[in-house]
Amino acid sequence: MYGYIQPIKSKLTHPEFAVYKSHYCGMCKNLGKQFGQLPRLTTSYDIAFLSVLLTSYKGENLIYNRERCILNPFKKKPCVAVTPLLTRIANASVILSYYKALDGIIDKDGIKYKFAKKMLSKPTKKAIKSLPKVEGKVSFWYKQLRKLEKEQCDSIDRLADCFANMLKDIVELVLEIGEVDEATKKEYDELLSLCYNIGKFVYLIDALDDIGRDCKKLRFNPLCYNKHMNENFLFHEKYDTPKQIKEHFIEANKETLDFIFATNINRCIESFNNIQHIFNGSDVIGLLKNIIYEGLRKKVDDVMTGNLKPVRL
């Protein structure tokens, strides 16, 4: 996926970080076992978050192993052992990565996406055989998104709704939850609401992160086409570099952007608060709170200030 859903490492306890690291490294190993070495490059923070969230929601009894890393073969790292749910998450991750590459090619966004598409072609076919309904949902929502983009839709909510629904639908399919009672359904709906709003966050923060490059290249960006923020404001003609465009856009629309992201993040927090009693283990709960309560807000600040840094694992 995109890599925006990260914890604040400095605020994690050692056990909390160990949980996160084991899910990240476990998903990387999972991708390697299923699809070969190159697809492991698509391992993302977003998928690691879903790995923690969904396995904990289902109450899976996970096994933690220590395995060598291809990047550091002399030091074993903790890894969550593969389960059927984690296998489905890995398959969904490959499908999402493939469609992200297609999206990048359509946007003429560099040779890296052509390489990614070629690298993921065979793994994606294998993943689709395992999860055809997931591919159907991803394809459907990307088509809806492209349709709105061609129409130059100026509604940020309508555009973000496509990606948000995509993630919600994927989660629903990989969890394979059958019929549930009324109380369990309320909790399940809150989980899906959380995933919906996480998907919305990813779409919006990616749009803000790319605002300078998109406007410089005259590519569609939902924030560029929003009349409230940019009516008759051709800022891409006034500034030389994508960085200058982005900085000026944020300065001109800071109050609106703060409101959009605060509303979105508060909805994530509200949904999580309604179901946090489901999750077992203080380390898992502490990790999820770190990401949802603080990590999302920090990511907005980092994108706005240009201070993006990966979590060192």
Side-chain angles (χ1 to χ4, degrees):
M1 284 171 66
Y2 292 76
Y4 292 108
I5 312 301
Q6 299 181 21
I8 301 176
K9 183 179 176 181
S10 62
K11 294 188 176 184
L12 290 174
T13 64
H14 287 298
E16 288 167 357
F17 183 66
V19 169
Y20 183 75
K21 188 174 182 179
S22 67
H23 277 266
Y24 185 96
C25 295
M27 187 54 63
C28 181
K29 285 282 187 179
N30 190 344
L31 288 166
K33 289 174 183 176
Q34 287 197 74
F35 305 107
Q37 297 306 310
L38 285 178
R40 293 173 69 178
L41 297 171
T42 65
T43 307
S44 70
Y45 302 118
D46 306 336
I47 293 299
F49 166 75
L50 287 179
S51 177
V52 176
L53 180 74
L54 301 186
T55 54
S56 183
Y57 174 80
K58 289 207 73 173
E60 296 213 328
N61 294 317
L62 300 175
I63 297 172
Y64 294 84
N65 299 322
R66 295 191 68 84
E67 299 185 30
R68 298 189 188 278
C69 174
I70 192 171
L71 298 178
N72 187 359
F74 302 106
K75 184 178 181 181
K76 290 185 177 182
K77 294 187 176 183
C79 295
V80 172
V82 175
T83 69
L85 174 57
L86 288 172
T87 297
R88 293 194 295 274
I89 294 173
N91 277 270
S93 172
V94 167
I95 294 169
L96 279 168
S97 296
Y98 182 78
Y99 271 87
K100 185 177 186 295
L102 290 180
D103 198 46
I105 292 170
I106 291 171
D107 285 339
K108 300 178 181 178
D109 203 17
I111 195 169
K112 65 178 181 179
Y113 288 112
K114 292 182 179 179
F115 169 76
K117 177 179 178 291
K118 185 176 182 180
M119 174 187 73
L120 292 170
S121 181
K122 288 184 179 179
T124 302
K125 290 178 182 178
K126 182 179 178 181
I128 291 172
K129 286 183 179 179
S130 177
L131 295 175
K133 290 183 179 180
V134 167
E135 193 274 337
K137 290 293 185 181
V138 175
S139 175
F140 172 79
W141 286 115
Y142 261 113
K143 285 178 182 177
Q144 292 297 110
L145 185 57
R146 279 292 173 189
K147 181 176 180 291
L148 291 174
E149 289 177 356
K150 287 180 180 179
E151 295 170 356
Q152 296 187 351
C153 174
D154 67 352
S155 170
I156 294 174
D157 279 337
R158 285 183 66 197
L159 289 156
D161 186 65
C162 294
F163 200 88
N165 273 313
M166 184 197 304
L167 185 60
K168 178 180 75 69
D169 287 350
I170 290 170
V171 167
E172 196 165 11
L173 288 168
V174 300
L175 279 176
E176 295 185 345
I177 300 291
E179 292 186 11
V180 294
D181 57 38
E182 187 175 343
T184 305
K185 187 177 185 307
K186 287 182 180 179
E187 295 169 344
Y188 183 47
D189 288 344
E190 287 290 356
L191 175 75
L192 295 180
S193 175
L194 170 61
C195 293
Y196 172 92
N197 283 294
I198 288 290
K200 191 170 187 177
F201 176 86
V202 169
Y203 180 79
L204 292 171
I205 199 68
D206 184 60
L208 182 60
D209 197 18
D210 288 345
I211 191 80
R213 293 186 294 273
D214 287 344
C215 291
K216 189 67 178 177
K217 295 183 178 181
L218 301 181
R219 294 188 306 221
F220 182 88
N221 184 296
L223 303 178
C224 292
Y225 281 84
N226 180 260
K227 291 181 180 179
H228 177 71
M229 287 192 274
N230 295 303
E231 189 171 9
N232 300 319
F233 184 47
L234 302 177
F235 51 86
H236 57 274
E237 296 179 354
K238 300 178 182 180
Y239 298 89
D240 294 329
T241 67
K243 182 180 178 182
Q244 290 175 327
I245 294 171
K246 180 179 176 181
E247 288 173 348
H248 183 70
F249 175 84
I250 291 171
E251 181 182 357
N253 296 288
K254 182 78 164 52
E255 185 175 338
T256 302
L257 290 168
D258 284 343
F259 175 79
I260 289 171
F261 283 105
T263 302
N264 174 231
I265 293 170
N266 286 340
R267 285 173 179 162
C268 291
I269 292 172
E270 181 180 1
S271 290
F272 180 74
N273 284 343
N274 289 333
I275 58 172
Q276 67 169 290
H277 62 277
I278 298 173
F279 300 100
N280 294 320
S282 59
D283 299 336
V284 169
I285 294 172
L287 171 60
L288 292 174
K289 283 184 175 180
N290 177 291
I291 295 171
I292 296 167
Y293 292 5
E294 300 181 83
L296 299 181
R297 296 188 193 281
K298 185 176 187 304
K299 188 55 58 179
V300 175
D301 291 340
D302 289 345
V303 170
M304 285 190 173
T305 59
N307 189 35
L308 283 171
K309 293 180 181 179
V311 177
R312 295 192 66 181
L313 298 175

